[in-house]
Amino acid sequence: MYSRDAQDKFVELRAQGWTLPHIATELHVSKRTLVDWNREFAADVKSMRALELELLKEKFLASREEDLNRLARLKKDVDDELSGRTLKFLPIEKLFRLSLDLGQQIQDAQQNTEEEPPLTTGVASANGQAANGPKSNH
């Protein structure tokens, strides 16, 4: 007769995906006994696998959340640095590209939160009027 500790260790190893021959070598138990245990403790193995999978998911999500928090802090640092700099030395092509990119981000954010028509980007057209904006009679 085998101890309950040996059976518990079997359930643990089987839940981790170990094969019966590997478990037999590790626990010094015959393969025939392990086949019987495999049937007898199938529900326990399944439960432990589900528990281990849940723990792995939680660990992954925590790691992902830590990465997102780190990236958010880094972005805030970059944004803080950028906010203290003047744009007057930025070439016009880069300013124009920045304006277009920011306008697109505003539209994307609006669509994701309100599902309403997007705001105009505020980018001036060739005739000096805001794109898609009302024409003024100045």
Side-chain angles (χ1 to χ4, degrees), residues 75-130:
K75 183 180 182 319
K76 183 187 178 310
D77 290 346
V78 169
D79 289 345
D80 289 348
E81 178 66 24
L82 286 172
S83 69
R85 294 182 179 214
T86 180
L87 298 177
K88 69 180 177 181
F89 297 112
L90 203 58
I92 189 118
E93 299 85 21
K94 288 188 179 185
L95 275 174
F96 185 72
R97 183 83 229 142
L98 178 61
S99 177
L100 290 175
D101 290 345
L102 289 171
Q104 185 62 51
Q105 288 178 26
I106 290 169
Q107 286 180 355
D108 293 346
Q110 254 190 325
Q111 289 173 351
N112 289 338
T113 58
E114 299 174 4
E115 296 297 325
E116 291 181 5
L119 290 176
T120 60
T121 62
V123 176
S125 65
N127 63 5
Q129 297 178 6

Side-chain angles (χ1 to χ4, degrees), residues 2-20:
Y2 293 97
S3 70
R4 183 65 192 167
D5 288 342
Q7 293 172 338
D8 290 344
K9 187 67 175 176
F10 164 79
V11 170
E12 179 184 331
L13 295 175
R14 196 70 175 131
Q16 292 174 4
W18 285 42
T19 64
L20 295 180

Side-chain angles (χ1 to χ4, degrees), residues 22-36:
H22 283 109
I23 296 172
T25 302
E26 178 73 17
L27 298 180
H28 307 292
V29 175
S30 73
K31 290 179 190 173
R32 180 68 235 163
T33 299
L34 295 182
V35 168
D36 292 341

